[in-house]
């Protein structure tokens, strides 16, 4: 299990990790946007030149192709999430989340499963980020600001922690919600915060908990 005493939080490894996070965060915020249009066009032209020289065939997906690819990846991600939730790994995740001590008495290595959950989550987040970058062909640090983080958290809480379908419904709803409330665009954070408070107060289990009742 993970150690929670002072020797862990103030160990040299922990201090080095925190220092890295601070430096990397400062560098990311101060960096120039990735995806300069002229540089991208030059790289694309060079790639096409090499492809033609070697006889490669280049297929352009287009808007409809990108949509189909993203929908396919989303469906595969949902299927993978449902499979994990119903497997022995999903049982271990739920056991560690409910009571880490009780899970340890069953022989479940809480630290290993926390690391596995972190790895799976970050891998899926990286896949989504890659698709986002491929689709927009331009990305900056400001694209994922504090409001975006609050919206992601709201999707999980409103949909229901541990419910795949609940989070899918909440993600679709909250993605379309900003278009419906464009007239109060400056107060999006207030709207998302209000939704979080209402759900936590009235339906702690989110949409999935309401349906189960």
């Amino acid at each position: 299990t993970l150690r929670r005493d002072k020797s862990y939080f103030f160990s040299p490894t922990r201090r080095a990790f925190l220092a890295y996070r601070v430096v990397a965060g400062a560098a990311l915020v101060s960096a120039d946007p990735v995806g300069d249009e002229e540089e991208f066009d030059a790289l694309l032209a060079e790639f096409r030149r090499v492809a033609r020289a070697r006889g490669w065939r280049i297929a352009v997906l287009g808007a409809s192709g990108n949509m189909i690819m993203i929908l396919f990846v989303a469906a595969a991600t949902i299927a993978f999430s449902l499979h994990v939730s119903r497997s022995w790994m999903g049982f271990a995740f739920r056991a560690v989340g409910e009571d880490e001590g009780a899970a340890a008495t069953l022989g479940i290595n809480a630290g290993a499963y926390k690391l596995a959950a972190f790895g799976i989550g970050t891998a899926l987040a990286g896949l989504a980020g890659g698709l986002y970058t491929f689709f927009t062909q331009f990305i900056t640090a400001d694209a994922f600001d504090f409001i975006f983080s609050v919206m992601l958290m709201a999707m999980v809480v409103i949909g229901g922690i541990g419910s795949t379908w609940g989070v899918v419904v909440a993600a679709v709803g909250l993605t379309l919600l900003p278009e419906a409330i464009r007239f109060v665009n400056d107060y999006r954070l207030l709207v998302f915060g209000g939704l979080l408070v209402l759900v936590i107060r009235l339906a702690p289990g989110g949409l999935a908990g309401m349906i189960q009742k």
Side-chain angles (χ1 to χ4, degrees):
T1 59
L2 296 177
R3 297 178 59 188
R4 301 181 183 275
D5 54 8
K6 293 183 178 180
S7 62
Y8 168 74
F9 287 104
F10 295 98
S11 64
T13 303
R14 184 66 175 174
R15 290 198 300 268
F17 176 74
L18 292 175
Y20 164 76
R21 289 291 302 274
V22 172
V23 174
L28 181 62
V29 172
S30 61
D32 293 332
V34 178
D36 181 82
E37 186 175 354
E38 295 182 358
E39 293 181 0
F40 178 80
D41 291 340
L43 289 174
L44 184 58
E46 179 64 19
F47 173 77
R48 288 176 175 172
R49 186 189 66 79
V50 174
R52 284 195 299 267
R54 298 190 178 186
W56 296 347
R57 296 180 59 185
I58 302 176
V60 180
L61 293 178
S64 59
N66 287 331
M67 182 185 67
I68 293 173
M69 179 181 66
I70 292 174
L71 289 176
F72 173 79
V73 173
T77 302
I78 293 173
F80 173 75
S81 178
L82 292 173
H83 174 72
V84 171
S85 178
R86 296 168 182 171
S87 67
W88 57 268
M89 182 176 287
F91 168 79
F93 285 155
R94 288 189 293 273
V96 173
E98 292 291 337
D99 192 329
E100 186 174 332
T105 61
L106 298 175
I108 298 176
N109 189 336
Y113 280 99
K114 286 180 180 180
L115 185 61
F118 177 79
I120 293 173
T122 51
L124 293 177
L127 175 61
L131 290 174
Y132 174 84
T133 307
F134 175 78
F135 182 73
T136 61
Q137 299 184 358
F138 185 86
I139 188 170
T140 65
D142 296 335
F144 306 99
D145 54 7
F146 178 72
I147 295 179
F148 185 80
S149 300
V150 172
M151 186 173 68
L152 291 180
M153 183 177 66
M155 291 176 182
V156 176
V157 174
I158 294 175
I161 298 176
S163 172
T164 300
W165 289 115
V167 173
V168 169
V169 173
V172 173
L174 291 180
T175 301
L176 299 177
L177 181 62
E179 298 298 326
I181 60 173
R182 186 178 292 273
F183 58 94
V184 290
N185 189 54
D186 294 336
Y187 302 96
R188 283 187 302 164
L189 186 59
L190 182 62
V191 172
F192 290 139
L195 287 175
L196 280 174
V197 172
L198 287 176
V199 170
I200 294 174
R201 179 67 180 85
L202 302 177
L207 295 176
M210 293 174 61
I211 294 175
Q212 291 174 358
K213 289 182 179 180

